[in-house]
Amino acid sequence: GLSDREYLHPTVDHILDETQGIIVYQEQVMEIARQMAGYTLGGADMLRRAMGKKIQAAMDAEKPKFLAGAAENGVDKAKAEETWALLDKFANYGFNKSHAAAYAVVSYQTAWLKANHPVEFMAGVMNCDLHLTDKLAAYFHEAKKTLGLPYTPPCVNRSEASFTVRNGALVYALGALKNVGVDAMRLITEGRRGAQPAPGSMGSAGAGLAQGRDPSGEDRPFATLYDFARRVDLKRVSKRPLEMLARAGAFDELDRNRRRVFESIDALISYSAAIFEQKTSNQVSLFGEAGDDLPEPRLAQFDDWLPGERLNEEFAAIGFYLSGHPLDDYLPALRRTGVLTLDEITAKAAPSGGMIAKMAGTVSGRQERKSARGNRFAFVQLSDPTGAYEVTMFSEALEAAREHLESGTKIEMQVEASMEADQLKLLGRAVRPLDAAVAQAGAAGFKIFLEDGEAVPSVASVFEGLKADAGRGAKGAIRFCLLDPGLPGEVELELEGKFPVSPQVKSALKSLPGVLSVEEL
């Protein structure tokens, strides 16, 4: 309160009355210079300019002038030095009063919006940085984890080109994917709600208009990949953006096998091009709607990417892990080996530093530098299921670990953690591949939930294959739990013997057809 404030000097205390004795505005700096050190208005403005531009040399040049003026006004030298130190410190963050007032209003408004309309606020913020992946990753982490907001992943049936809010959830923008282009994504959303082109619309411009957004158009979700190709001119969208959509899982509602969609894009583009050619020519098909008589191409026959591959493809398209994390299946085993998550380290690290801990992460990048002495050091970017972080590694540790620090590699790392000005600082000491770190920390076994009994032989055959090639690593029991609606209640079966129960095996099992989930016993 006012009674607690520290008074600076009788010549200037009245200047700081409205801000409780604290220098807040540049105008107060000018007034202090005039009252305490006898500056002219012009001289005070020069001081303000030096501060505003944060030019230390210009500030240093002003100091003797200020001290001399203060001495002439009979101000004690120590008090003048103290006042100058305050002015010098203020130079790093001060505004003029009109700026400060505007900033305060905007800060209040944005804080109110974030507190009262968090989903809309985060959508707006993310639209401001639609093409800055690093910022989007931080915002999405804030929305999902800190604010706990519901979200819809990228989806050709629900997303717009930009971030939107639908039914209270943040809908991920198609235009925020890497290498897609907002205009190309608008072709998709317009095709989704656009009027159907009339047969015989002339020329490509006519087709563009016909495909354009019908003002009264309602969303008509795409039913299949072929429906998508018939309603969106995929040649105009082009191959690379369509690949990014497939990798991000934006076609999951039309076909859950992302790899099959990815490998079928050329065929879908050719099919779409033939249909749009017919629509823009003068021909009216004997069979009604233009293009209805064109045979649908066969989709490429591929098994889907394994869970780890799916996440890596998603990462390539989105720029961060959205639907899960490569270490999700490792967490229980890591717990058993004493590894801490980023959240846990952040909570435990202290300013005094020196905390030694084990962390795990997937490497996303590395920048190497040379110190003035010629020693190499590196900044390594990693992430675990609780967030992204950076570790600094010096020459000795770096040399020993370099082969394990390639993008996409999963590692365990011994770190020294400390808090500096509310920022977590991590120094990497030793690194080893994650699979080696958890090799002996397998589960007691797996309980595999299946949607029907027909899936049992295919899953059991995986284990028979593993049995022959068991090698090192922990072994455990394998139990099946059938949730077949045709059976009375749950049915449990157990395989004879012990089988490998590593996180990799868990991940592979989850990708098999008929497997609903895998839990550790």
Side-chain angles (χ1 to χ4, degrees):
L2 284 171
S3 58
D4 306 337
R5 66 174 261 193
E6 285 185 25
Y7 290 90
L8 197 56
H9 191 268
T11 57
V12 298
D13 286 336
H14 64 283
I15 298 167
L16 303 178
D17 271 348
E18 69 171 329
T19 53
Q20 311 238 19
I22 298 163
I23 302 169
V24 174
Y25 309 125
Q26 287 180 341
E27 285 87 344
Q28 289 174 320
V29 171
M30 292 172 68
E31 205 51 32
I32 288 169
R34 292 182 67 211
Q35 300 283 351
M36 184 180 271
Y39 272 58
T40 62
L41 264 174
D45 191 53
M46 294 293 284
L47 174 64
R48 178 201 61 75
R49 192 180 306 169
M51 282 191 166
K53 294 197 184 309
K54 299 183 174 55
I55 305 167
Q56 194 56 46
M59 282 292 288
D60 293 343
E62 288 286 338
K63 185 176 179 180
K65 188 173 152 189
F66 182 90
L67 295 179
E72 272 181 42
N73 277 356
V75 179
D76 174 62
K77 188 170 191 293
K79 183 53 80 173
E81 288 267 11
E82 181 193 335
T83 306
W84 178 262
L86 279 175
L87 297 180
D88 201 20
K89 191 174 165 188
F90 166 87
N92 287 323
Y93 61 86
F95 292 122
N96 60 53
K97 193 170 183 177
S98 54
H99 268 201
Y103 271 103
V105 171
V106 171
S107 299
Y108 177 82
Q109 288 171 338
T110 49
W112 185 89
L113 285 167
K114 187 174 181 181
N116 293 282
H117 302 282
V119 189
E120 290 79 2
F121 176 80
M122 292 310 292
V125 168
M126 291 172 88
N127 280 331
C128 290
D129 292 316
L130 198 64
H131 301 298
L132 300 176
T133 305
D134 290 350
K135 286 198 168 184
L136 289 182
Y139 295 148
F140 185 74
H141 189 255
E142 164 96 349
K144 182 180 169 184
K145 201 173 132 208
T146 313
L147 302 174
L149 303 179
Y151 71 94
T152 299
C155 172
V156 291
N157 273 344
R158 290 186 281 179
S159 296
E160 298 297 320
S162 54
F163 288 91
T164 51
V165 177
R166 187 187 278 215
N167 301 327
L170 175 70
V171 185
Y172 208 87
L174 297 181
L177 302 181
K178 291 185 165 188
N179 304 309
V180 294
V182 173
D183 288 340
M185 296 302 101
R186 286 207 182 102
L187 290 173
I188 291 171
T189 59
E190 286 166 3
R192 191 173 73 211
R193 62 170 72 86
Q196 286 299 300
S201 335
M202 287 295 290
S204 58
L209 287 171
Q211 277 301 101
R213 180 169 178 169
D214 174 359
S216 62
E218 284 182 33
D219 258 6
R220 291 185 304 115
F222 303 111
T224 63
L225 287 170
Y226 303 122
D227 182 34
F228 176 74
R230 285 192 288 265
R231 287 160 60 188
V232 180
D233 188 346
L234 300 188
K235 208 170 181 182
R236 287 176 67 200
V237 176
S238 83
K239 184 176 179 178
R240 187 73 188 275
L242 290 167
E243 286 182 340
M244 288 300 174
L245 289 167
R247 297 165 99 175
F251 295 111
D252 282 2
E253 282 194 2
L254 308 181
D255 187 333
R256 294 205 64 76
N257 185 330
R258 294 183 184 180
R259 188 178 176 204
R260 180 167 57 211
V261 179
F262 182 85
E263 302 286 357
S264 302
I265 282 169
D266 282 333
L268 288 166
I269 290 176
S270 302
Y271 175 62
S272 179
I275 281 174
F276 275 79
E277 234 166 80
Q278 277 201 13
K279 285 178 183 175
T280 55
S281 76
N282 264 334
Q283 294 172 15
V284 177
S285 167
L286 292 173
F287 302 100
E289 181 69 52
D292 275 0
D293 52 339
L294 287 171
E296 292 175 347
R298 281 196 61 194
L299 295 182
Q301 291 309 302
F302 283 96
D303 288 336
D304 201 355
W305 290 309
L306 291 170
E309 292 172 321
R310 274 171 74 97
L311 283 170
N312 289 337
E313 296 294 340
E314 199 177 277
F315 186 93
I318 296 172
F320 53 93
Y321 298 109
L322 186 98
S323 65
H325 192 276
L327 299 194
D328 287 339
D329 289 327
Y330 284 77
L331 276 180
L334 292 171
R335 284 262 173 274
R336 291 190 285 275
T337 62
V339 166
L340 298 179
T341 63
L342 173 64
D343 276 359
E344 289 165 339
I345 296 263
T346 306
K348 290 182 177 182
S352 52
M355 173 187 166
I356 306 294
K358 281 197 294 185
M359 294 181 80
T362 301
V363 179
S364 56
R366 171 180 101 224
Q367 292 83 42
E368 293 200 17
R369 305 268 189 276
K370 246 186 185 168
S371 70
R373 291 182 178 180
N375 295 325
R376 294 198 79 79
F377 66 99
F379 300 112
V380 185
Q381 291 79 40
L382 302 114
S383 66
D384 73 10
T386 66
Y389 58 96
E390 186 172 79
V391 176
T392 306
M393 296 194 76
F394 292 118
S395 55
E396 208 171 301
L398 177 62
E399 290 304 325
R402 191 179 274 113
E403 63 176 307
H404 305 310
L405 299 178
E406 295 304 320
S407 189
T409 311
K410 295 188 274 285
I411 59 169
E412 180 191 274
M413 181 183 281
Q414 188 186 57
V415 296
E416 186 176 326
S418 61
M419 270 293 177
E420 288 177 28
D422 289 338
Q423 284 284 311
L424 181 66
K425 297 282 182 195
L426 296 168
L427 193 60
R429 289 183 158 193
V431 169
R432 61 174 174 161
L434 200 58
D435 291 337
V438 300
Q440 301 305 322
F446 291 146
K447 187 175 185 180
I448 304 164
F449 292 86
L450 304 171
E451 57 187 340
D452 60 59
E454 287 176 24
V456 174
S458 68
V459 180
S461 68
V462 169
F463 281 104
E464 288 306 322
L466 285 170
K467 206 170 188 178
D469 182 31
R472 292 164 52 245
K475 313 276 193 305
I478 297 302
R479 196 175 296 160
F480 293 120
C481 183
L482 303 186
L483 303 174
D484 193 325
L487 297 169
E490 294 180 6
V491 176
E492 291 206 0
L493 308 166
E494 189 161 331
L495 289 182
E496 272 186 40
K498 298 280 184 186
F499 298 87
V501 284
S502 68
Q504 304 96 295
V505 172
K506 184 180 179 182
S507 181
L509 287 171
K510 284 162 72 174
S511 69
L512 293 172
V515 175
L516 294 169
S517 66
V518 181
E519 287 179 7
E520 296 197 357
L521 293 173

